[in-house]
Amino acid sequence: MLDGGFVVRWLTAAAGLVEREAERLTELDSAIGDADHGANMQRGFAAVVKTVDTRPPGTPGAVLIAAGRQLISTVGGASGPLYGTLLRRAGKSLGEAPQVTVGELQTALRAGVKSVQELGGSAPGDKTMLDALVPGVEALATSFEAAAGAAEQGARDTVPMLARKGRASYLGERSIGHQDPGATSSALLFAALAEAAR
């Protein structure tokens, strides 16, 4: 069973990975975006850690809702609303249960991913964060490690894709050959989940 403390550990691990990978995220974003994804994600997740560290963990749902709100108010561009929506919707789906199963977390994240799809008007294959989120969430049924591997592979699979949504889509054919920064940062969420579960 996963409690609020587990979710805090997950988000703290995510902040650490984002911090470590910020330069790489910015490099990827400078090729097909506006070169601020690393800095934005770093600032957002640092604020999330501050938020969840300064209060008792509470329920898994409450932690995710608080983190989502923080991302929406701290992160610029499209990333804040998208990541914030993902976490808030997942948190709402979990409700007020003090502990949740991995299956319940998977169902909640699936609801979060659906909200991201609706907000961004995108689908898997469009070269967006969904290309890592969807396989990551589906692989949670197997294990946290499997989810991390599937999300990482999903991010790598964006390299040959033509971007159909977001800023990268303005580049047309020139978006091909670059890994999507949003999918890359989404994969870090699943890597952090596996780290928190160890």
Side-chain angles (χ1 to χ4, degrees), residues 5 11 14 18 21 24 27 53 62-63 65 72 76 80 82 87 98 106 110 118-119 137 162 172 182 184 186 197-198:
L11 295 171
V18 165
E21 296 290 325
R24 179 168 169 251
E27 271 172 34
D53 265 359
V63 176
I65 289 169
I72 289 168
L82 291 168
L87 297 185
Q106 181 187 33
R110 216 179 255 141
E118 288 164 1
L119 182 64
V137 169
L162 173 73
T184 307
S186 293
R198 279 184 202 123

Side-chain angles (χ1 to χ4, degrees), residues 10 19 26 36 43 59 62 97 131 140 146 152-153 187:
W10 170 27
E19 173 87 27
T26 293
D36 62 357
R43 186 172 63 250
T59 64
D131 292 303
L140 268 178
E152 175 60 35
Q153 187 58 55

Side-chain angles (χ1 to χ4, degrees), residues 9-92:
R9 287 198 303 279
W10 170 27
L11 295 171
T12 304
L17 287 177
V18 165
E19 173 87 27
R20 208 166 69 217
E21 296 290 325
E23 206 171 298
R24 179 168 169 251
L25 293 174
T26 293
E27 271 172 34
L28 292 172
D29 198 35
S30 64
I32 58 173
D34 45 12
D36 62 357
H37 190 57
N40 280 343
M41 292 296 289
Q42 205 173 359
R43 186 172 63 250
F45 274 90
V48 163
V49 169
K50 203 176 265 187
T51 297
V52 298
D53 265 359
T54 53
R55 62 177 77 178
T59 64
V63 176
L64 287 173
I65 289 169
R69 277 200 196 114
Q70 192 60 51
L71 288 174
I72 289 168
S73 65
T74 315
V75 181
S79 298
L82 291 168
Y83 274 102
T85 295
L86 172 72
L87 297 185
R88 276 181 69 190
R89 183 68 191 86
K92 284 179 181 171

Side-chain angles (χ1 to χ4, degrees), residues 3 33 35 90 110 147 155 160 171:
D3 60 9
R110 216 179 255 141
L171 297 175

